[in-house]
Amino acid sequence: SQYQFIAVSTVGERSNVGLIRLNRPQVLNALSSGLMAEVVQALADFDGNGGIAATVITGEGKAFAAGADIKEMTARSFAGLVTGKFRSNFAALQSTKPLIAAVNGYAFGGGCELAMYADIIIASERAKFGQPEIKIGLIPGAGGTQRLTKAIGKSRTMEMVLTGDSIGAQEAEKCGLVSRVVPAESLLSEAIKTGEAIGRNSKITVAIAKAAVDASLETTLRQGLSTEARLFQTTFATKDRVEGMAAFVEKRAPQFSDE
């Protein structure tokens, strides 16, 4: 494989779901810059692959990712961070296709931030989420203070960020951080099933819908509604909208062409 720190494959009955496994179990899949660069590359490859409907990202072993590679970070300086690549790997993460994080164990620090970058988080009952950076004199630096607040609110985020304490899967579900909690043994199959369910819809409409939901995190309600209205109108320019409506009226399954 061209990858050293991750394992990449296509899965699902129609092989239309991309799978990225973080594969440094001996260090709990610590997010070294080498591993992050590979994740960025794999996501870009799946994004550019017309046959892929959605991507699942998970961890090998008992962690999703237990944070940044502290050994690597210890050597860093303020100047090095300003000019260096560590943050830029997170900033370079890009997926126009839905990304599903299947969180199998610890998602701490950068691991929690990577999970929150995904569009949907499905958690194993063994999953644990936390931003423990404060315990080593840091704050979350790849979205933790921002995405977590948007997901679970200010009070809960402050408690997690200021104490560094983690929460379990059930609590993560209760506060809205994850979509659902599933038994550990069915985590991957559930995540892949979700990718396949997305894959039964028009790829172009899925991309438009994802963009609409993403916009809600960036804007006021009024701007968001205006964006949604424009994107809703856009769907009327697609062949798939014509096909979807015709199939509904004719009581048959739609044959989407992704146009």
Side-chain angles (χ1 to χ4, degrees):
S1 148
Q2 67 192 97
Y3 296 113
Q4 190 184 342
F5 306 115
I6 63 177
V8 173
S9 57
T10 54
V11 292
E13 279 174 29
R14 290 158 55 191
S15 295
N16 64 342
V17 178
L19 177 61
I20 299 172
R21 284 179 188 269
L22 308 178
N23 195 19
R24 299 179 75 207
Q26 65 290 355
V27 288
L28 300 179
N29 303 322
L31 304 174
S32 62
S33 42
L35 179 141
M36 282 304 297
E38 290 188 357
V39 170
V40 168
Q41 182 60 55
L43 262 186
D45 289 350
F46 283 139
D47 225 29
N49 179 338
I52 296 295
T55 303
V56 171
I57 186 164
T58 194
E60 197 57 63
K62 63 178 177 181
F64 175 73
D69 195 320
I70 303 299
K71 280 195 183 126
E72 188 179 80
M73 281 182 81
T74 304
R76 293 181 190 276
S77 63
F78 169 72
L81 283 176
V82 172
T83 57
K85 268 216 168 355
F86 177 73
R87 275 288 286 103
S88 64
N89 271 325
F90 263 95
L93 284 171
Q94 205 144 27
S95 183
T96 55
K97 293 176 182 176
L99 178 62
I100 302 161
V103 177
N104 49 301
Y106 306 117
F108 291 162
C112 189
E113 291 169 315
L114 180 58
M116 289 191 292
Y117 173 78
D119 299 297
I120 297 168
I121 305 177
I122 301 174
S124 141
E125 55 205 355
R126 296 191 198 129
K128 278 194 166 56
F129 299 84
Q131 299 288 167
E133 288 88 345
I134 199 102
K135 293 181 176 180
I136 55 166
L138 296 175
I139 71 165
T145 64
Q146 304 302 304
R147 286 197 174 98
L148 196 56
T149 310
K150 294 249 196 289
I152 68 173
K154 175 187 155 182
S155 181
R156 204 70 197 84
T157 299
M158 282 288 193
E159 193 173 355
M160 287 177 70
V161 169
L162 301 184
T163 63
D165 292 344
S166 62
I167 58 172
Q170 308 299 343
E171 190 171 348
E173 182 182 37
K174 194 172 77 184
C175 64
L177 180 58
V178 309
S179 291
R180 56 202 155 99
V181 179
V182 299
E185 59 278 7
S186 53
L187 172 68
L188 200 52
S189 66
E190 284 294 327
I192 292 165
K193 249 189 254 172
T194 303
E196 289 180 306
I198 291 167
R200 286 193 277 279
N201 301 316
S202 158
K203 285 194 186 72
I204 187 168
T205 317
V206 164
I208 293 169
K210 173 171 146 57
V213 176
D214 279 339
S216 74
L217 294 172
E218 306 284 345
T219 51
T220 62
L221 178 60
R222 180 174 296 196
Q223 285 171 306
L225 289 170
S226 166
T227 299
E228 181 190 70
R230 287 276 167 272
L231 290 170
F232 172 76
Q233 290 156 5
T234 304
T235 61
F236 277 76
T238 67
K239 289 180 182 169
D240 281 348
R241 191 273 312 174
V242 177
E243 166 60 15
M245 286 184 162
F248 178 81
V249 171
E250 292 160 23
K251 297 185 166 54
R252 60 175 176 80
Q255 298 294 311
F256 292 123
S257 60
D258 301 319
E259 286 176 34

